[in-house]
Amino acid sequence: MNPAYSPIFMTAAFIAIFYFLIIRPQKKREKKVKDMRNSLKVGDYIATIGGIHGKIAKVKDEMVILEVGSDKVKLQIARWAVGSVVKSDDIK
C-alpha cells in the first residue's frame, strides 16, 4: 500500500466513526422527540423540560394548555417545552 494514501484512509475512518457514534444516534433521538411532541393529545400526562408535571387540557398549534395541581391551575406552555409523556400509572 502506498504511504501517500494512508492519511486519506485515516481521515475517512475518523469521519465514519464520528458519524456512526455521534451524529446518527443524535438524529434518531431528535426524530423520536419530534414524533412524541407531534402526537400529544388531550388527557396525556406530561413532564416539561422545566420539571412541571400535569395533564394536557388543550392542544393548539405550537402551544399546550396544561392542568397542574389539585386546583387544576391552567398553564400555557410551548410545545417544544414538553420533555416527556408520563404514564398515568406513574402519576397515581
Side-chain angles (χ1 to χ4, degrees):
M1 180 148 99
N2 191 348
Y5 291 123
S6 181
I8 294 172
F9 289 127
M10 289 298 288
T11 304
F14 280 124
I15 290 172
I17 290 169
F18 189 75
Y19 175 77
F20 284 108
L21 292 180
I22 297 173
I23 296 172
R24 190 168 176 233
Q26 178 65 25
K27 288 200 182 271
K28 282 185 177 182
R29 278 191 297 273
E30 288 174 3
K31 185 179 185 308
K32 186 177 176 182
V33 169
K34 184 179 178 183
D35 291 343
M36 178 268 303
R37 288 179 179 153
N38 287 334
S39 68
L40 293 175
K41 60 187 179 300
V42 174
D44 285 348
Y45 288 91
I46 62 168
T48 67
I49 59 175
I52 299 172
H53 292 253
K55 180 179 171 183
I56 296 178
K58 189 174 184 180
V59 178
K60 297 181 181 177
D61 291 333
E62 291 301 316
M63 302 302 276
V64 174
I65 307 296
L66 193 62
E67 290 181 348
V68 181
S70 59
D71 339 350
K72 304 289 185 193
V73 175
K74 295 191 190 261
L75 299 175
Q76 183 173 347
I77 63 168
R79 189 183 287 256
W80 61 263
V82 175
S84 63
V85 175
V86 181
K87 294 179 183 172
S88 60
D89 300 337
D90 296 339
I91 301 290
K92 297 175 182 174

